[in-house]
Amino acid sequence: MTNYVPNKAPLKETPFLALPLGSIEPDGWLRDQLLLQAEGLTGKLDEFWEDVGPGSGWLGGSGESWERGPYYLDGLLPLAYLLKNDQLIQKVKPWVEWTLGSQRGDGNFGPENVPDWWCRMIMLKVLIMHQEVTNDERVIPFLSRYFQYQLEELKKRPLTDWGQARGGENILCAQWLYNRTEDSYLLELIHLLHEQTLDWTEIFNDFPFWRYQTEFDHRIHVVNVAMGIKEPALYFLISGEAKHQFAARNGIESLMTHHGQMHGMWSGDEWLAGSHPSQGTELCSVVEYMFSLEQLVRILGEGMYADLLERVTFNALPAAISPDWHGHQYDQQVNQVACTLAKRNWTLNGDDSNLFGLEPNFGCCTANMHQGWPKYAMNLWMATVDNGLAAISYAPCTIQAKVANGVDAKVKVLSQYPFRDTISIDLQVSKNAYFSVKLRIPTWCKEPRLLINGQEMTIPCESGFITIERHWETNQTIELTLPMEVKMEKRANYAVGVTRGPLVYVLPISERWEKLRGVEPFADFEIYPETVWNYGLVVDSSNPEASFQVQESKVSKQPFLAKDAPVKLVGTGKRVPHWKMEKNSAGTIPIGPVFSDQLEETITLVPYGSARLRIGEFPLIQSEMAGERK
């Protein structure tokens, strides 16, 4: 018997089981991030943005009745319960109550004037989180009635458009219900949903979209891709076929090869757009890719997906949101030298797409951005199928969970990770018990150090995790150190990006924020550069660690702010005068090695997520590259 609901036959067993919402309480800098979110757009959005206001169709009104209400709840609900914030919980309740009360005799629910399958898929995820945190007895019968309706209706009205692209979200929810009821019709529904969903397995195993895309297709829409990346793995749980098991790995490799960006995402300034560092990446795709990676870790148990999750979470997510949580971007650029109302080389999006504001370009990100940090916090740790626990990421938190044969465990993670490399884990149990604790070892860390109660241990790493199996007593301590090294990642034109641990480092450009339109504090702002940006790096590429001095300072309430960055890299650069702006963005990086007759200057790099204007891909200066390029 397991302490948490496992997959029921014929679904394959998953290595990890998600802990219910409420099991993990964020601490430290992560809690501060959630508090900023509650004080900013997430906590206030319904008060001034009519699409999620009292007139929403998901509250019984005549307003927007499609995806925006469900999107908003998909972030607001977990945020409210993670913070145990009664005011936010009271905001959530009317949405849940209206939705549960909207079910009709045939089992369908939601606004009657919108028959689309897609928006209901989001609300299903919301109801599942609500059930897990409140144990609301109405949810499982509600879902059962809806899925019975859906099984018959899909035969007459199959998935189309967004629902066809995003059917994996529906499969996820049907699997959740099957594991609680074991109703066989749900297996038939899962097969039908997979048949009607875009063939992501084929797309990712034989990836056809190599270039900047110029014509709309749901298969190259960046958010569809971010959601679709987990669909084959979800179906693998019922098919057992290798092509479904490995599709995500193959797809991510192809996406990063042809469209990859330094922040861990691929481009998509609405459609896949190549690897140029001035192409955009949509914020919706960032939060949806995070959720997909969280599911891939659970389903496949491979640490590589958690490595990718941290790369995106610590870099791409905070970079696209203003430090005070009063605005966001639709598109972010790795080399982002101005955020202005101007024509850029987007595949589709409008001239306001990289402004920071309430609703730049489409409003989907305004509604959907809120799930990023809360769902990351929910998935910091998971249960293992053998009644142990697994650390997925090391942000500070406290976990209350069951281990062994129902023993209560409390785990407190004391860390300032990813800004520091040492993690202390205090473990308390209600009685002595034998169980496993799995600790993820990132692939970037070559020499991790593990101490248990002060005693150094060496344990082999398998699939990105070390497993500590032992009799645990209360008040035991695990200390894990993950030394971080400065590394260079090769990019196009012999350019490079700089990383240290899970963080990408960039040259921050001094910012001048100017209000463009709207009402403060949630107005739209342009950002203009106040310092020059066209620097190349003077670095020993064979030993980049020796080319930078690491400077650490305290972790402030908002660590994702350049002036308060808790870790910086001090190095050397030279101006590259012939590297100029093109189409209102940083131009193509000159092919390296680059000659520069400018004086060497000391430059300071900060974490990517701390700088709204930045250079994240650099040319290397020729004098330090002699003999390397042939």
Side-chain angles (χ1 to χ4, degrees):
M1 297 293 293
T2 54
N3 294 315
Y4 298 96
V5 180
N7 278 358
K8 303 293 175 60
L11 298 183
K12 291 180 66 66
E13 187 177 84
T14 60
F16 301 144
L17 307 174
L19 295 172
L21 175 60
S23 303
I24 299 175
E25 183 175 349
D27 296 327
W29 71 261
L30 179 56
R31 180 174 177 81
D32 287 340
Q33 203 64 213
L34 296 180
L35 288 170
L36 285 166
Q37 185 172 345
E39 295 160 3
L41 274 171
T42 309
K44 305 289 196 302
L45 188 62
D46 61 318
E47 298 171 16
F48 59 87
W49 195 51
E50 63 179 9
D51 283 2
V52 298
S56 168
W58 286 92
L59 288 170
S62 59
E64 204 275 345
S65 302
W66 188 43
E67 67 179 8
R68 294 185 182 180
Y71 264 158
Y72 181 46
L73 265 287
D74 201 26
L76 178 64
L77 186 147
L79 177 69
Y81 285 101
L82 283 164
L83 293 177
K84 301 178 182 177
N85 184 313
D86 288 339
Q87 183 179 0
L88 294 185
I89 291 171
Q90 292 306 313
K91 286 195 174 194
V92 166
K93 285 184 176 179
W95 297 85
V96 172
E97 291 301 320
W98 185 88
T99 301
L100 290 173
S102 72
Q103 191 163 50
R104 299 177 279 282
D106 60 4
N108 198 8
F109 72 96
E112 294 191 49
N113 61 327
V114 178
D116 187 49
W117 295 111
W118 158 236
C119 57
R120 289 165 174 80
M121 296 180 194
I122 314 169
M123 193 55 84
L124 293 173
K125 294 188 291 184
V126 172
L127 292 176
I128 285 171
M129 288 188 291
H130 166 74
Q131 193 280 334
E132 290 189 340
V133 76
T134 68
N135 199 30
D136 189 330
E137 295 180 352
R138 297 173 295 172
V139 173
I140 287 177
F142 177 97
L143 296 181
S144 294
R145 290 190 292 270
Y146 175 68
F147 284 137
Q148 290 175 54
Y149 159 80
Q150 189 178 41
L151 177 60
E152 297 307 314
E153 187 71 10
L154 282 173
K155 298 171 185 176
K156 300 176 288 183
R157 186 168 59 91
L159 300 179
T160 58
D161 297 324
W162 303 106
Q164 184 183 29
R166 302 171 179 183
E169 312 304 306
N170 209 146
I171 292 173
L172 175 67
C173 299
Q175 288 178 348
W176 183 91
L177 183 62
Y178 176 76
N179 290 331
R180 285 151 180 82
T181 66
E182 296 186 75
D183 290 332
S184 60
Y185 78 88
L186 290 165
L187 300 175
E188 183 183 354
L189 176 62
I190 290 167
H191 286 300
L192 183 60
L193 287 165
H194 175 72
E195 291 170 7
Q196 293 187 6
T197 298
L198 290 180
D199 192 351
W200 292 112
T201 303
E202 174 66 21
I203 292 167
F204 295 138
N205 283 330
D206 188 15
F207 191 73
F209 304 114
W210 298 354
R211 299 177 179 85
Y212 178 104
Q213 300 296 307
T214 58
E215 295 183 11
F216 177 72
D217 187 304
H218 277 290
R219 297 170 297 173
I220 52 90
H221 184 277
V222 64
V223 184
N224 290 348
V225 174
M227 292 185 185
I229 200 74
K230 65 180 174 294
E231 193 276 343
L234 287 162
Y235 194 63
F236 163 70
L237 294 175
I238 197 168
S239 77
E241 295 185 43
K243 66 178 182 179
H244 299 127
Q245 180 180 8
F246 298 111
R249 181 191 294 263
N250 295 336
I252 291 168
E253 182 177 331
S254 294
L255 284 160
M256 295 307 289
T257 297
H258 300 295
H259 305 283
Q261 300 287 325
M262 275 300 300
H263 47 51
M265 287 292 305
W266 48 86
S267 67
D269 38 41
E270 198 76 7
W271 311 329
L272 297 175
S275 61
H276 194 293
S278 288
Q279 292 303 142
T281 296
E282 183 184 338
L283 178 54
C284 271
S285 69
V286 172
V287 297
E288 293 296 352
Y289 187 40
M290 288 172 57
F291 181 67
S292 289
L293 290 167
E294 289 152 8
Q295 297 306 311
L296 289 169
V297 174
R298 176 184 64 85
I299 294 166
L300 301 173
E302 296 181 25
M304 62 163 284
Y305 295 112
D307 291 354
L308 296 170
L309 171 64
E310 288 191 342
R311 182 73 165 253
V312 173
T313 302
F314 299 148
N315 297 287
L317 177 62
I321 301 168
S322 62
D324 57 9
W325 263 85
H326 287 168
H328 75 285
Q329 289 182 294
Y330 193 86
D331 288 333
Q332 65 175 286
Q333 301 163 289
V334 170
N335 284 356
Q336 185 163 270
V337 299
C339 298
T340 53
L341 187 66
K343 184 70 175 176
R344 292 181 169 82
N345 193 41
W346 312 134
T347 55
L348 173 71
N349 293 333
D351 296 350
D352 61 350
S353 292
N354 79 344
L355 300 181
F356 278 85
L358 172 61
E359 191 182 356
N361 205 51
F362 302 123
C364 53
C365 292
T366 307
N368 193 24
M369 60 185 281
H370 314 280
Q371 66 169 305
W373 285 119
K375 289 189 180 178
Y376 167 73
M378 287 172 57
N379 289 286
L380 289 170
W381 285 62
M382 296 183 183
T384 62
V385 75
D386 63 354
N387 286 332
L389 293 171
I392 307 304
S393 187
Y394 295 106
C397 65
T398 302
I399 304 101
Q400 303 272 3
K402 300 284 187 183
V403 295
N405 58 343
V407 173
D408 291 324
K410 180 179 180 180
V411 181
K412 190 165 185 65
V413 180
L414 302 167
S415 83
Q416 294 181 324
Y417 183 89
F419 310 109
R420 302 289 188 269
D421 62 8
T422 299
I423 301 104
S424 181
I425 301 169
D426 292 339
L427 175 65
Q428 299 179 35
V429 288
S430 59
K431 63 180 181 179
N432 297 351
Y434 185 89
F435 60 93
S436 65
V437 174
K438 289 181 175 287
L439 302 177
R440 185 181 126 259
I441 305 299
T443 53
W444 49 258
C445 181
K446 302 306 179 188
E447 296 183 358
R449 185 170 182 239
L450 174 68
L451 284 80
I452 302 177
N453 299 325
Q455 181 180 354
E456 189 158 2
M457 308 283 287
T458 300
I459 299 174
C461 185
E462 183 177 351
S463 297
F465 291 87
I466 61 172
T467 303
I468 309 167
E469 293 183 286
R470 59 183 286 158
H471 284 280
W472 295 94
E473 301 175 1
T474 201
N475 295 325
Q476 302 212 315
T477 301
I478 302 169
E479 185 173 290
L480 179 65
T481 303
L482 302 172
M484 301 177 183
E485 300 177 15
V486 177
K487 297 180 180 179
M488 314 290 281
E489 290 192 9
K490 294 181 179 179
R491 305 296 297 170
N493 285 1
Y494 287 88
V496 296
V498 180
T499 66
R500 183 174 179 267
L503 296 177
V504 176
Y505 285 80
V506 300
L507 176 70
I509 303 166
S510 293
E511 304 165 6
R512 185 177 81 251
W513 290 60
E514 293 191 2
K515 178 181 169 182
L516 177 67
R517 62 195 179 196
V519 179
E520 295 190 52
F522 305 107
D524 290 351
F525 286 85
E526 294 182 307
I527 312 178
Y528 291 90
E530 292 281 85
T531 52
V532 295
W533 54 265
N534 52 352
Y535 281 89
L537 295 181
V538 177
V539 60
D540 179 358
S541 56
S542 64
N543 185 19
E545 182 84 6
S547 300
F548 293 94
Q549 176 189 356
V550 179
Q551 292 184 347
E552 294 181 343
S553 56
K554 71 174 184 178
V555 179
S556 63
K557 180 176 180 178
Q558 178 49 287
F560 297 107
L561 185 61
K563 70 180 183 65
D564 295 331
V567 58
K568 300 176 180 179
L569 304 181
V570 180
T572 304
K574 282 187 178 183
R575 289 280 311 281
V576 181
H578 61 285
W579 183 20
K580 301 180 183 296
M581 291 185 71
E582 301 169 3
K583 298 180 181 177
N584 297 298
S585 296
T588 299
I589 298 172
I591 297 175
V594 175
F595 172 76
S596 174
D597 60 0
Q598 304 293 297
L599 295 175
E600 289 188 356
E601 300 179 45
T602 298
I603 59 172
T604 300
L605 308 185
V606 301
Y608 179 101
S610 305
R612 276 68 193 171
L613 298 185
R614 60 188 167 258
I615 293 294
E617 286 192 24
F618 303 85
L620 288 173
I621 299 300
Q622 187 179 58
S623 60
E624 301 300 322
M625 288 281 293
E628 287 195 16
R629 185 180 174 215
K630 299 179 181 179

